[in-house]
Amino acid sequence: MMNFQRLLAAALAAALVLTGAACSNSKKKDDAFTGPEKSEAQLRAEAAALYKLARKSLDQSDFTEAAERYDQLSKRYPFTDYATQGEIEKTYALYRGYDADKALTAADKFIREHPRNPSIDYVQYLKGLTNFNREASFSSMLGVSSAKGDITNYRRSYDDFALLIQKYPTSRYVGDSRQRMIYLRNILAEHELGVVEFYYGSRGAYLAAAKRAEQIVAQYPGAPASYRALDLMEKSYRKAGLNQQADDAARILAAQPSEATLEKQSAAADNSPSWIDRLLKRDAGTADAPAPPAAADPNAAVVPSEPAAAASTP
């Protein structure tokens, strides 16, 4: 019995020794990988240093490098003010780097996660500009009307600017957004008018042409194409034998300013530079969207105020 107790005690002692050694080795192993815990001041200093590198790339128009560094900033220091500011600047870098899909994704993510950020209107404005400029094509370089092609992104841009004006009516970007919306309105109305002309002239679908013309007048009031839409509405209803509706369209048409007047009223807004002009302008570092301001003080604990105002010319 005594021998059994001694063996049991020896076994327990050996187990304790092995357990202690394992814990010691585990602790040493963990220390080797994790290292000492960094203070909040150290983390902020590292975040500030990485932010300055990213901003330097942005200011030097190295937009790909800037976006990559802003990504690193968000991953390493996600809860710092620098990461939040970096998300705004990364969206701008992606826009300037012609990476429209990623720019829109970044903008949507920022708006979803930071709905009360002081620069939220700027990010919404960037969304509108991204869709506005991604319609550039080779045909536009040759002077082909933008209304002749796919206008899906123009519609999205129009909606982006409309949302900006609705949600942030005091934003400094409202004026430029309105001008762009007038330009986009004219393109969208012109595109719809092409459908009306096709129904009327090529298909002889007079009722469909009249209904489509009504939509142009209702959705795009003031657009030069609305004048021609009213004219085709009257003719379509006459062709369809609906004289009462045709007379109503004629009275509305008579009360409108002349087409020449509408064209003149829209001329101020309908002066967006050509695709090649925008390309050269942006490559020269004078893009239509201003870059967000850098954090004024790398040691400050506040998010910078909203970016500088944009030029008023589309």
Side-chain angles (χ1 to χ4, degrees):
M1 184 66 179
M2 182 65 70
N3 290 336
F4 174 76
Q5 290 178 340
R6 289 177 179 175
L7 287 173
L8 180 60
L12 289 173
L16 289 173
V17 171
L18 291 174
T19 302
C23 290
S24 177
N25 290 336
S26 175
K27 187 174 185 301
K28 291 179 180 179
K29 191 173 184 179
D30 289 342
D31 289 344
F33 280 93
T34 60
E37 184 176 349
K38 295 180 180 178
S39 67
E40 183 177 349
Q42 287 177 311
L43 291 174
R44 281 192 58 79
E46 291 177 4
L50 182 53
Y51 168 78
K52 289 177 68 176
L53 287 175
R55 182 67 198 206
K56 182 178 180 181
S57 296
L58 185 71
D59 292 338
Q60 293 177 345
S61 297
D62 190 349
F63 302 118
T64 300
E65 181 70 19
E68 291 176 354
R69 283 177 169 168
Y70 287 127
D71 275 337
Q72 294 173 10
L73 180 62
S74 295
K75 291 175 181 177
R76 295 181 187 177
Y77 313 100
F79 304 112
T80 63
D81 296 327
Y82 296 108
T84 303
Q85 176 67 15
E87 290 179 34
I88 299 173
E89 296 181 19
K90 183 183 78 169
T91 303
Y92 175 77
L94 292 169
Y95 161 69
R96 287 295 309 276
Y98 302 98
D99 199 338
D101 289 334
K102 288 185 179 180
L104 292 171
T105 298
D108 286 334
K109 180 176 181 291
F110 186 88
I111 292 171
R112 183 173 61 254
E113 295 180 353
H114 307 281
R116 299 183 184 277
N117 187 276
S119 295
I120 193 72
D121 59 330
Y122 174 74
V123 178
Q124 180 66 36
Y125 178 66
L126 277 181
K127 280 190 65 178
L129 287 179
T130 301
N131 279 317
F132 185 89
N133 285 303
R134 74 185 304 182
E135 278 298 342
S137 63
F138 182 75
S139 59
S140 65
M141 293 176 61
L142 302 178
V144 178
S145 173
S146 300
K148 301 294 184 182
D150 183 4
I151 59 169
T152 300
N153 291 315
Y154 277 148
R155 291 188 188 278
R156 292 172 179 164
S157 180
Y158 185 92
D159 291 341
D160 290 333
F161 290 131
L163 184 60
L164 169 64
I165 293 172
Q166 177 188 353
K167 295 187 69 174
Y168 314 106
T170 61
S171 169
R172 63 185 65 186
Y173 305 108
V174 164
D176 186 64
S177 296
R178 288 189 190 280
Q179 291 295 102
R180 291 177 188 276
M181 285 181 69
I182 294 173
Y183 170 74
L184 293 168
R185 176 206 64 183
N186 293 347
I187 290 180
L188 297 175
E190 189 72 29
H191 178 83
E192 293 298 320
L193 184 66
V195 178
V196 174
E197 291 171 339
F198 174 75
Y199 283 158
Y200 180 85
S202 301
R203 297 285 298 275
Y206 302 119
L207 189 57
K211 293 298 183 182
R212 200 67 177 255
E214 284 184 5
Q215 293 178 9
I216 294 175
V217 175
Q219 294 178 9
Y220 309 110
S226 65
Y227 186 92
R228 300 196 295 278
L230 279 167
D231 182 51
L232 283 174
M233 187 193 307
E234 178 193 358
K235 293 177 180 177
S236 297
Y237 276 133
R238 298 246 183 249
K239 291 281 189 179
L242 300 173
N243 292 324
Q244 180 60 53
Q245 288 87 337
D247 291 340
D248 291 341
R251 280 194 295 270
I252 297 173
L253 180 60
Q256 300 298 310
S258 67
E259 184 176 4
T261 301
L262 288 177
E263 292 280 2
K264 184 177 180 180
Q265 291 174 347
S266 296
D270 195 11
N271 64 349
S272 179
S274 68
W275 182 87
I276 190 63
D277 287 340
R278 291 203 303 270
L279 175 64
L280 293 174
K281 186 178 181 183
R282 289 173 65 180
D283 285 348
T286 55
D288 44 9
D297 178 3
N299 296 315
V302 295
V303 178
S305 59
E306 39 182 313
S312 58
T313 305

